[in-house]
Amino acid sequence: MIPYGRQEITDQDIAAVLEVLKSDYLTQGPKVPEFERQVADHVGARHACAVNSATSALHIACVALGLGAGDWLWTSPLTFVASANCGLYCGAQVDFVDVDPKTYNLCPEALAKKLTKAKAEGRLPKVLVAVHLTGQPCDMAAIFELSRQYGFRVIEDASHAIGGKYQGAFIGSGRFSDITVFSFHPVKIVTTAEGGMALTNDDQLASRMMRLRSHGITRDPAEMTQEPDGPWYYQQVDLGFNYRMTELQAALGISQVGRLDQYVARRHELARQYDELLQELPVITPWQHPDSYSGFHLYVIRLRLDLITRSHREVFEALRDRGIGVNLHYIPVHTQPFYQAMGFERDDFPESMRYYGEAISLPLFPLLTDQQQVEVVAALKEALT
Ligand SMILES: *Cc1c(COP(=O)(O)O)cnc(C)c1O
């Protein structure tokens, strides 16, 4: 089976992890801050807070922004459930904004329309989670403009997008958002096994997230309500969690991020080759906005069902039968039973549902060979007829 995504672990990665295992610190040592500095410097952010998953990063980002009961979080239906669940963790309510038919990202026009209506009804969102689906950045300039106009905060869920750029600046530099989140799950662009990171240029948000990932505890006298009782002293000033990343994970991350730009370049090369190989087939290849340099976590095609006799499901199954580990990103979140129970209807977000009826993620990862890519395309050609 050729998977849709997989990690590369080099001897250098293994050596980096072994070194930590033999060192004094397995957690709360020097590697996590080193990893945070490396990623922050690479993407051009002031602060980075490493945690045990992107899901945790989304959660503490929402808490740090003050999201709570009575508030609304909006996001795209075309994302992993975690982009929406982080709102529910905080006791907020969740709603969705339909996607743009070309980028499959949250549509700024649909957002503007929904905001006008929400304002009239007094239900404006407090937080918007802008998901860079497949690694292609959302229209952040338009989203930022609306956030100023309507007073909501913006989290970029860049789980697919580390190493990508928007208007020439690395995603994570935070020009158009409050906080950016990366995922280091093995199928993503660089990995720490499990792991995530929240980046921000805001000093206050950064220190709040640092506390929240470790029980809400501070050892900084400046953040305490009184002088320390002694050198042992710490204070719990927030209700936090244990979302810490281990030193082993950080060491792996440091080693991986050394190859980040190379990985994204190879993903682009493979994407260009797919574009060419698929030219004559009845599929829509990923459209790229000129402002964007995608991280290319995913290469998603859409079937031209009007031109073929096979159904979406038949093509998908035929590919799996031929050993191609295709996938579908994503089942629109509002159709999940947990969200249906909140009253969402399947056809509330028609553009997302159209996508769901046609989309297939083809294998894309740096170790995919040109030969394997040709095999994928041959299998697709057969599956379509
Ligand atoms: C993978 C992913 C997450 C969750 O990442 P974890 O690190 O597995 O918690 C969140 N949002 C999106 C868009 C993702 O792809």
Side-chain angles (χ1 to χ4, degrees), residues 285-307:
T285 55
W287 182 80
Q288 298 294 296
H289 192 283
D291 280 350
S292 77
Y293 176 74
S294 179
F296 261 119
H297 166 50
L298 298 173
Y299 189 90
V300 174
I301 56 164
R302 287 177 71 165
L303 306 183
R304 290 287 309 270
L305 294 172
D306 52 333
L307 299 180

Side-chain angles (χ1 to χ4, degrees), residues 123-354:
R123 326 188 321 161
L124 283 170
K126 182 163 197 165
V127 170
L128 180 85
V129 177
V131 182
H132 304 323
L133 191 73
T134 74
Q136 168 153 239
C138 295
D139 184 348
M140 291 308 299
I143 289 170
F144 179 74
E145 187 61 38
L146 289 167
S147 77
R148 285 298 158 101
Q149 195 182 334
Y150 289 95
F152 58 87
R153 312 296 291 270
V154 180
I155 299 172
E156 294 176 68
D157 183 344
S159 293
H160 298 181
I162 190 171
K165 293 177 185 173
Y166 175 70
Q167 293 186 351
F170 273 115
I171 293 165
S173 61
R175 184 164 157 225
F176 297 110
S177 67
D178 296 287
I179 296 169
T180 302
V181 168
F182 294 138
S183 171
F184 305 124
H185 183 279
V187 296
K188 308 289 165 73
I189 293 170
V190 285
T191 190
T192 60
E194 296 281 358
M197 198 176 271
L199 296 98
T200 182
N201 295 321
D202 183 306
D203 299 350
Q204 236 97 57
L205 287 176
S207 51
R208 184 112 202 260
M209 290 194 292
M210 290 291 192
R211 286 199 303 272
L212 288 167
R213 80 162 163 200
S214 198
H215 308 283
I217 281 171
T218 183
R219 290 176 186 277
D220 177 0
E223 294 178 348
M224 293 182 188
T225 58
Q226 60 166 71
E227 287 296 307
D229 291 349
W232 64 85
Y233 195 66
Y234 59 81
Q235 277 193 342
Q236 186 194 340
V237 295
D238 260 322
L239 181 60
F241 314 92
N242 182 351
Y243 283 169
R244 292 189 301 261
M245 173 180 276
T246 68
E247 291 284 289
L248 289 84
Q249 291 169 300
L252 178 55
I254 292 163
S255 185
Q256 290 260 320
V257 167
R259 300 192 298 278
L260 173 60
D261 293 342
Q262 194 181 312
Y263 280 159
V264 175
R266 174 62 181 157
R267 287 174 175 276
H268 272 262
E269 187 180 27
L270 288 163
R272 273 196 305 274
Q273 288 171 188
Y274 267 138
D275 288 347
E276 270 184 33
L277 293 165
L278 298 175
Q279 246 174 24
E280 306 298 323
L281 298 187
V283 301
I284 298 168
T285 55
W287 182 80
Q288 298 294 296
H289 192 283
D291 280 350
S292 77
Y293 176 74
S294 179
F296 261 119
H297 166 50
L298 298 173
Y299 189 90
V300 174
I301 56 164
R302 287 177 71 165
L303 306 183
R304 290 287 309 270
L305 294 172
D306 52 333
L307 299 180
I308 60 177
T309 54
R310 301 259 172 240
S311 72
H312 179 234
R313 184 174 174 157
E314 282 169 344
V315 174
F316 193 99
E317 283 175 344
L319 282 162
R320 284 269 178 100
D321 289 346
R322 286 169 169 77
I324 313 299
V326 287
N327 219 314
L328 208 176
H329 303 90
Y330 288 93
I331 305 159
V333 177
H334 73 284
T335 70
Q336 295 291 352
F338 196 81
Y339 283 84
Q340 291 277 290
M342 294 170 201
F344 291 105
E345 305 280 350
R346 286 182 72 83
D347 52 5
D348 281 347
F349 308 100
E351 207 57 65
S352 299
M353 293 309 284
R354 259 193 292 282

